Amino acid sequence: MKTVMNLVFLGAPGAGKGTQATRVCDRYGIPHISTGDILRANIKAGTPLGVEAKTYIDKGLLVPDDVVIGLVEQRLGEEDCKNGYLLDGFPRTLEQAEALSKFSDITYAINIQVDSDMVIDRIAGRRMCKCGESYHISWYNSDKCQKCGSVLYQRDDDKEDTVKARLEVYEKQTAPLIDYYNSKGALRNVDGKKGMEEVFEDIAEILG
Ligand code: AP5
């Protein structure tokens, strides 16, 4: 019987959660559920949820727990999550973690560890594509996506002041989840300062 793998990716903004989540989901055939991506898609579509979320995201603040918990609970109930999933950017508060524990078990919480000066550089140099690909100006010098050819852009919340606010919010509200998952025996730390391929290999070794 196939083992169900329910994963949570923890890490500061810019730690590399999205980058590694894409690779892990490709390798293990599980859906990549990024609450940030879901919220940004709602902003783009101008839904009531998107209009509300934008007021928080633009300031680097977290969207209220009840809004995000409802979104994730609904998504995890879908058919493609029956054999596992990867949550990227959720949970982000102890309240979200407690809520998640009531509707799903977690196999591993992978914590991607980086230094704060490193994440500022990574975020400042990040360029996104509407297809979901992400690049960094240090290794990619085109303004077009190599997968779909669309023009790359910088996320609104990747401007310097917003990044500082996001890092403060991470330290205060999300970092306590490291102890939370450690106490449950699910925490696995990964050195996110290494290159992308090495980080992926370290994660793959944990997942088996
Ligand atoms: P979200 O979209 O989740 O953003 P984040 O957590 O701040 O994370 P990022 O997407 O910025 O970084 P990442 O770790 O994925 O790094 P990446 O792989 O892109 O959330 C945005 C906002 O939405 C929040 O502020 C909040 O308002 C709201 N929100 C979302 N979820 C919420 C929730 N659960 N509750 C409440 N509110 C919520 O990498 C960054 C860059 O570095 C890229 O350019 C990449 O190419 C490069 N890079 C990656 N790895 C490496 C490496 N090993 N070496 C060199 N470069 C690397």
Side-chain angles (χ1 to χ4, degrees):
M1 206 175 80
K2 201 176 162 196
T3 318
V4 174
M5 191 151 50
N6 296 335
L7 305 176
V8 161
F9 271 18
L10 299 174
K17 301 181 295 296
T19 302
Q20 297 302 330
T22 305
R23 286 156 201 240
V24 167
C25 290
D26 279 354
R27 162 83 67 96
Y28 294 91
I30 52 175
H32 175 189
I33 301 166
S34 157
T35 41
D37 286 349
I38 295 171
L39 295 170
R40 282 186 289 277
N42 275 275
I43 292 174
K44 200 169 167 209
T47 66
L49 166 65
V51 172
E52 184 187 359
K54 186 169 164 47
T55 63
Y56 297 95
I57 292 178
D58 282 353
K59 296 188 192 105
L61 302 175
L62 296 183
V63 175
D65 285 336
D66 56 339
V67 174
V68 189
I69 290 167
L71 270 181
V72 172
E73 184 170 13
Q74 190 185 18
R75 180 67 186 87
L76 295 189
E78 291 177 21
E79 192 57 33
D80 64 338
C81 295
K82 295 279 182 288
N83 289 323
Y85 57 78
L86 190 161
L87 281 171
D88 163 9
F90 183 95
R92 253 182 155 97
T93 63
L94 285 170
E95 289 73 13
Q96 291 179 17
E98 289 290 359
L100 175 62
S101 73
K102 295 197 175 81
F103 51 80
S104 186
D105 291 328
I106 296 304
T107 316
Y108 296 119
I110 306 285
N111 178 35
I112 305 181
Q113 299 175 299
V114 282
D115 297 334
S116 50
D117 53 344
M118 182 175 244
V119 297
I120 289 171
D121 172 68
R122 283 188 185 177
I123 292 179
R126 172 166 56 190
R127 296 295 179 268
M128 301 296 301
C129 178
K130 65 179 184 188
C131 76
E133 278 298 294
S134 148
Y135 300 90
H136 194 276
I137 53 171
S138 63
W139 53 265
Y140 193 72
N141 64 4
S142 166
D143 64 350
K144 301 242 172 71
C145 176
Q146 66 183 6
K147 263 199 178 168
C148 74
S150 301
V151 175
L152 304 181
Y153 64 92
Q154 190 172 26
R155 260 168 54 177
D156 285 344
D157 64 343
D158 279 356
K159 309 280 154 58
E160 199 177 331
D161 283 351
T162 318
V163 172
K164 282 186 186 149
R166 284 162 61 199
L167 287 170
E168 280 171 26
V169 166
Y170 167 77
E171 286 304 334
K172 204 166 152 199
Q173 293 182 263
T174 308
L177 295 182
I178 297 169
D179 285 344
Y180 175 87
Y181 282 111
N182 195 25
S183 72
K184 301 206 172 292
L187 186 77
R188 299 291 182 276
N189 289 312
V190 168
D191 181 0
K193 300 189 287 304
K194 295 181 182 175
M196 290 180 206
E197 289 311 319
E198 286 171 285
V199 178
F200 177 66
E201 281 164 23
D202 290 349
I203 294 173
E205 201 176 315
I206 292 165
L207 304 182

